Amino acid sequence: MRQLIAGNWKMNGTAAMAADLVGALAAAGELPCDLLVCPPATLIAEVARLLTGSTVAVGGQDCHARPSGAHTGDIAAPMLRDAGATWVILGHSERRADHGETNEVVYAKVLAAVAAGLTPIVCVGETEAESQAGQQAAVVAGQLSGSLPEDFAGAVAYEPIWAIGTGKTPTEADVTAMHALIRGRLKELLGPTGERILILYGGSVKPENAAALLALPEVGGALVGGASLKAADFLAIAAAAQA
Ligand code: PGA
């Protein structure tokens, strides 16, 4: 399976910025991986239009658990699909922290995303305090069993919260151990499908550390925040993927 390099633009981006960034991605030519960009909801339709005919996919950063209704300010999965998205990030730690999203909420959103034809990327990862207390394995195992339905067929992103936007990354040994643990848990939860789920690493992935992280066992790609806002950096990370 090809590695996936996914860009999470978070709450950043204007139409002008998207045109520059996405234009550079579409012109990049052959890469050793698949590319996905997840702009803010306001730009999904425009980015999808700009990427028509390219292999770069478009995703949302969240969706509501209901397909429509009286939920002011929210965006439903079928609306993302209608705008041109084929993927959606769910349960990002910033959603879990800023919007109180529990594993149960993420589970419901996964069902909604799949029903709308979107492939979910479910994020898991421990806080710094949990890491220092040696609880990361238990935390991540609990997030996986609580957030994933038993027929899950999307991707998982391991993002230690203390590594997001901080420039800090876990050691290669720690990433390897956590990805092995996630693979084992996915097989327990999902059976043979669990072997094929892409497990992305996220948290301060940069051009400088991408090759080392992407070469680790069971790392199926990267979920990139800050460095996905600059085409040169995002493409350098993509170029570092394992062919
Ligand atoms: P970062 O964000 O690359 O800026 O650390 C990663 C993420 O939150 O997905």
Side-chain angles (χ1 to χ4, degrees):
M1 229 166 18
R2 272 158 74 85
Q3 291 191 321
L4 174 68
I5 307 299
N8 174 10
W9 295 9
K10 308 193 179 185
M11 197 171 70
N12 297 290
T14 59
M17 169 273 206
D20 283 352
L21 178 43
V22 164
L25 302 184
E30 194 66 22
L31 290 167
C33 58
D34 293 329
L35 281 191
L36 165 66
V37 289
C38 299
T42 49
L43 291 173
I44 288 174
E46 175 64 2
V47 166
R49 190 187 65 76
L50 291 165
L51 287 172
T52 303
S54 98
T55 57
V56 183
V58 185
Q61 300 175 9
D62 174 52
C63 70
H64 198 272
R66 313 267 326 162
S68 64
H71 301 287
T72 302
D74 279 315
I75 311 236
M79 297 160 72
L80 294 177
R81 190 74 191 81
D82 183 57
T86 53
W87 292 77
V88 62
I89 299 169
L90 293 174
H92 189 281
S93 60
E94 287 153 17
R95 298 288 317 172
R96 291 180 189 257
D98 294 354
H99 299 272
E101 290 192 8
T102 60
N103 292 330
E104 292 71 26
V105 169
V106 177
Y107 180 98
K109 291 184 173 195
V110 170
L111 297 183
V114 172
L118 299 171
T119 305
I121 299 175
V122 173
C123 302
V124 297
E126 79 285 356
T127 63
E128 183 145 45
E130 288 162 346
S131 173
Q132 280 165 358
Q135 292 166 346
Q136 58 271 48
V139 167
V140 168
Q143 288 170 331
L144 290 170
S145 50
S147 308
L148 303 183
E150 60 184 30
D151 59 353
F152 182 74
V156 167
Y158 170 56
E159 299 203 300
I161 295 168
W162 52 271
I164 295 177
T166 59
K168 294 193 244 174
T169 50
T171 64
E172 292 180 15
D174 285 347
V175 174
T176 301
M178 184 57 84
H179 280 238
L181 180 136
I182 292 172
R183 177 66 69 207
R185 193 85 188 129
L186 289 173
K187 286 197 259 184
E188 277 167 33
L189 291 168
L190 311 173
T193 315
E195 305 257 16
R196 299 192 295 273
I197 302 281
L198 279 180
I199 308 171
L200 313 181
Y201 168 78
S204 296
V205 177
K206 310 275 178 231
E208 301 75 48
N209 60 20
L213 288 163
L214 290 165
L216 297 173
E218 301 292 8
V219 172
L223 182 53
V224 184
S228 73
L229 296 171
K230 284 203 195 118
D233 286 357
F234 193 55
L235 288 171
I237 292 168
Q242 300 282 298

